[in-house]
Structures are given as C-alpha cells and as structure tokens.
Amino acid sequence: MSHSINDLPSDVGQTLAELRKAAGRTQTYIEERLKEQGLNVDQTRVSRIEKGLVTPTESEIEGYLSTIGTDDAKAYREFLKQPWKILERPSFRHPQRDLLCKAEAALQWVKDFKSQPVRNSQKIRAQRYVNRLVSEGKYLASLKHTIAYVGKIGSGKTTALCKLAGLVISQGLSFERQSVLATGSGGTTVCEVHIRCADKFRILLEPQSKEEIEKLIEDYWASWKSGTEGEQKNQQRDVSSEITRTLRNMTGLARGSRESANGKKEKFDELVDLVNKCADLEAFRVEILDRMKLQERTQREFWYEETSPSAGLEWLKKTFEDINYVRNNELPLPERIDVFVPDKVFPSFPYDIEIVDTKGIDGTAIRQDLKRYQIDDPPRALTVLCSGFNDAPDLAIQSLIDNLIQTGSKEVLKQRVVLLVLPR
C-alpha cells in the first residue's frame, strides 16, 4: 500500500472483522490462509487485530483482504491506498464515503494548482473553492444527528421516544409502566434529557447554577404574590408543576392532609405557608436556599457495572426517577440529564443518533430551548412535534408551526419537522 502505517484508520480491525463475517469466513480460515502466504499469524492475533488491540501490518492487511476476496474487500484495499492530506479519513462504512473521497481528491488538485505560477485572482478564487469544499466535507463527515421530541405535558412524547429507543421494561400490559424514563401519567421530566449510545449504562447530570435556582425561587414567589386570580393568570411566571415538586423535595416542605385538633382532616402545604410567612422575596429566597443545602449536592455521575440489559434497564428506571424527583440530599437540581445506553437506537444505521426529550410545554411553546432544534446551523436536528389524537395538532404545536412560518422558516418546517400523532 502507498500509505504509511500511521495513515491507517482507527477502526481498521473492526472493518476487517465485518468484511470477514459478510464473506462467511471464520478467524481460523483467515489464520490458515495467512500462514499459507508465509505470514506468522495465529488465531489469537487475528482476534486481537479485529478487536483493535493491535495494529496490523500492511502485509497482514493485504493478505487478509485477498483471503476475503469480495468486492467490498477490494474496495477497502483501494480506500486504504488513497492518501488523505486535507480532510480527515472517514470510516469505510461512512454512507458518504465516495463523495468525501472525491472532495479530498479535488482539494489535493486545487492545492497543486495553487502551488503553480498563477495570477493572484485565480489563487483567491481557488482558495474560496477550498474553503467551501472543506466546510462541506466536514459537514458530510459528521455522523452525529439529533431527533428532538417536542410536546405539551401529558402528550405521551416520553413514552413514544422510550419505545423508539428500546427503553422499555415488560411489566404487565400497561404501556405507560413499561417506559423506563416515563414519570407517570401527565408527568414530565424536570429538564431536558439526552439519550446516547455508550459502552455501558451511565447517567451524567449538568446541574442548574445557583443563579438559575434563585430565578426559579423568584418566579415561584411571584406566581403566588401576583394579586387577584385574573392578575395571576396574566403575570404567572413559567413555573411548571415539576419545578414546584422539586422545590418541595429539595427543601422537605411537604403538603397533604392531616388530622386537626378537633379530629377532622385538613389540608396543609408547608411551601405555601412559607410564602405567606416571609415578609419579602429576599427572606423567602434565604429560607429556601438554606433548606436546599446546595453545597452538599455534589453527585454528578452514575454508573451501572453489570452486563445484564434487563437489570440495567431496571437500574436506569430507578436511578432516573431518583434524579428527576431529586430524592436524596446529594442530588442537585438538574439543568440537563445525559442518559447513555449500551445499544444503538438504530443498530443497522451508520449514524450516531442522539434522542432528546425536551421539557414538556407548560405554558408558552415559543421557548429558546425548543427553537434551537428547529432552526440550527448546521441543520442536524429532526424535530418531532407530538400531539394527542383528538386535537392534533394541539394549540401548543400549532403555535410552534405558526412561529416557524412567521419567522420565514417554511423550508425548515418542510424538511426537518414532522408531526407525530399519539393515541393518548
């Protein structure tokens, strides 16, 4: 081969293994054929090469590919011969490999052209061409894409994406109870959740800052101090029931019913009582922050070491619920939760798919966190607008669609937004 050993792609072993399996060959067969070609290779080394534990020599790669002998093996040999000097060499399995190969060849041609005695105006035009090709090449090279689920609270979007991602547990006939990340009928996650592929089950938390938490405390205070019911509806800050729930859990301020002195049941709400007790916002903020003990809430990572997929899903369900409800004193209020699962969402796809469960819409649907999935640069996200069957598209989804049209994003609406109508 015309390249040095340092030019080999990092996944050469995995690619050789895939080509071997596609040809119906065993590792033992490869070992025997390589020995016939005079190479001192045993089955153990073949296995280590395929696992990426050792780097094969050029002679081993040539022997390996000639032994497999398929058209794909021949194509891989030619792929490895091509030098990559400007763009990063893609994986052989990359769906746009041929286009990237052409882009690299064109870039090398332009580079040679610029080194010749040509007019400055030609060099300037050539450099513009290079910049455009490099930009397009980097865009095509990336296999990372996002599917973002958007919908109002209770629309069923979390249940739907859990089904898509295989995050379900067989527990009777109730579909709702099967979803690993579902938080109960009509419930929602306290923040945005990103689901990605990794080598094991893992959860990472990005906590909200003290300033963000203070803003939530201020919003909650304002929602109770805005005067009459009509004024309250007009001035209500965007404080969801989930934020209220986490404020209760993090402060230990409960609500419920209890027996009064005369033996009758009466309702109580310690969080509302504290609002009424405090003279002003500052007193309320100090009281809430003192109860939260943010400095002690330092847990950020969670790992599951076992290999059983079913047990891993059970662990994921329990751990996610604890995080979402902030059920212990070491957990911060999350700004974002990253969930890593050991299996790809779409095993046969070459793309690196990330699924995002956005915060449920509880109030205005025109939020900055939702806009970035509908209008981003580069356009890597597919937005799934989730709506119930009876009123599809519901008012929240209609609002998002109207906003895209009014802001001149009709093409985004046509190309990267879909409507998912759910039965419940």
Side-chain angles (χ1 to χ4, degrees), residues 1 5 34 37 39 56-66:
M1 297 184 183
I5 201 70
L34 291 180
Q37 298 173 36
L39 296 173
T57 66
E58 295 184 19
S59 297
E60 288 172 337
I61 294 174
E62 285 282 9
Y64 209 112
L65 294 175
S66 63

Side-chain angles (χ1 to χ4, degrees), residues 328-389:
N328 70 57
N329 295 331
E330 295 181 351
L331 290 169
L333 180 61
E335 173 72 20
R336 166 174 163 165
I337 303 174
D338 285 276
V339 175
F340 297 85
V341 295
D343 295 318
K344 281 189 174 183
V345 175
F346 305 108
S348 61
F349 278 31
Y351 302 102
D352 180 10
I353 303 293
E354 176 185 52
I355 297 179
V356 178
D357 188 9
T358 63
K359 288 175 62 177
I361 299 172
D362 184 16
T364 178
I366 312 305
R367 301 193 324 233
Q368 197 61 39
D369 62 317
L370 300 182
K371 283 185 177 181
R372 73 172 179 267
Y373 296 113
Q374 300 161 42
I375 308 172
D376 58 359
D377 184 24
R380 288 279 179 185
L382 173 70
T383 301
V384 181
L385 303 179
C386 301
S387 181
F389 181 83

Side-chain angles (χ1 to χ4, degrees), residues 3-4 7 53 55 73 81 131 172-173 183 190 192 217 221 227 240 245 274 277 299 306 315 328 351-352 414-415 421:
H3 56 76
S4 69
D7 292 329
L53 300 177
T55 301
K81 287 181 179 180
N131 294 341
L173 300 177
T183 56
V190 73
E192 196 169 89
I217 295 171
W221 170 270
S240 68
R245 178 196 68 210
L274 182 62
K277 173 186 172 183
Q299 195 164 6
E306 301 296 327
W315 171 87
N328 70 57
Y351 302 102
D352 180 10
K414 292 177 182 178
Q415 298 173 13
V421 180

Side-chain angles (χ1 to χ4, degrees), residues 87-91 94-96 100 134-144 380:
L87 297 177
E88 183 177 347
R89 183 191 293 273
S91 166
H94 197 292
Q96 304 296 339
L100 289 168
V134 169
S135 175
E136 296 291 347
K138 289 181 177 178
Y139 175 78
L140 286 177
S142 175
L143 296 178
K144 294 183 178 181
R380 288 279 179 185

Side-chain angles (χ1 to χ4, degrees), residues 123-306:
K123 286 187 176 183
I124 292 173
R125 287 197 295 270
Q127 187 57 48
R128 290 173 181 168
Y129 183 61
V130 167
N131 294 341
R132 177 69 181 273
L133 267 180
V134 169
S135 175
E136 296 291 347
K138 289 181 177 178
Y139 175 78
L140 286 177
S142 175
L143 296 178
K144 294 183 178 181
H145 295 269
T146 300
I147 303 176
Y149 281 69
V150 176
K152 67 179 184 181
I153 292 175
S155 66
K157 67 180 176 63
T158 300
T159 300
L161 71 87
C162 280
K163 182 66 175 176
L164 173 71
L167 298 179
V168 292
I169 300 175
S170 299
Q171 293 181 345
L173 300 177
S174 173
F175 183 72
E176 184 72 29
R177 289 201 305 270
Q178 288 181 330
S179 302
V180 171
L181 305 184
T183 56
S185 179
T188 187
T189 50
V190 73
C191 65
E192 196 169 89
V193 180
H194 293 239
I195 305 168
R196 300 158 64 186
C197 180
D199 58 342
K200 63 179 68 176
F201 287 102
R202 178 187 180 199
I203 300 178
L204 295 181
L205 300 187
E206 182 179 319
Q208 292 197 23
S209 65
K210 183 181 178 182
E211 292 74 19
E212 291 170 328
I213 293 175
E214 288 180 341
K215 180 64 168 58
L216 292 175
I217 295 171
E218 179 184 343
D219 287 350
Y220 184 82
W221 170 270
S223 71
W224 281 94
K225 293 292 185 178
S226 52
T228 65
E229 181 180 358
E231 291 173 338
Q232 183 172 343
K233 285 182 179 178
N234 292 330
Q235 300 179 23
Q236 180 80 30
R237 307 290 184 92
D238 188 17
V239 181
S240 68
S241 58
E242 283 62 42
I243 291 299
T244 302
R245 178 196 68 210
T246 53
L247 286 178
R248 295 183 190 280
N249 290 347
M250 295 177 73
T251 57
L253 295 169
R255 68 174 176 177
S257 60
R258 58 192 170 196
E259 191 171 308
S260 63
N262 59 12
K264 293 183 178 180
K265 290 284 186 179
E266 61 179 13
K267 293 183 179 180
F268 72 95
D269 191 325
E270 294 175 346
L271 183 56
V272 175
D273 291 343
L274 182 62
V275 173
N276 295 328
K277 173 186 172 183
C278 292
D280 53 29
L281 170 61
E282 184 58 29
F284 181 67
R285 177 170 32 233
V286 169
E287 185 72 26
I288 292 293
L289 289 174
D290 182 62
R291 289 171 176 269
M292 283 184 168
K293 296 181 172 55
L294 296 179
Q295 69 279 5
E296 298 177 8
R297 298 180 177 274
T298 58
Q299 195 164 6
R300 303 288 187 273
E301 295 189 31
F302 304 81
W303 299 83
Y304 183 72
E305 299 295 341
E306 301 296 327

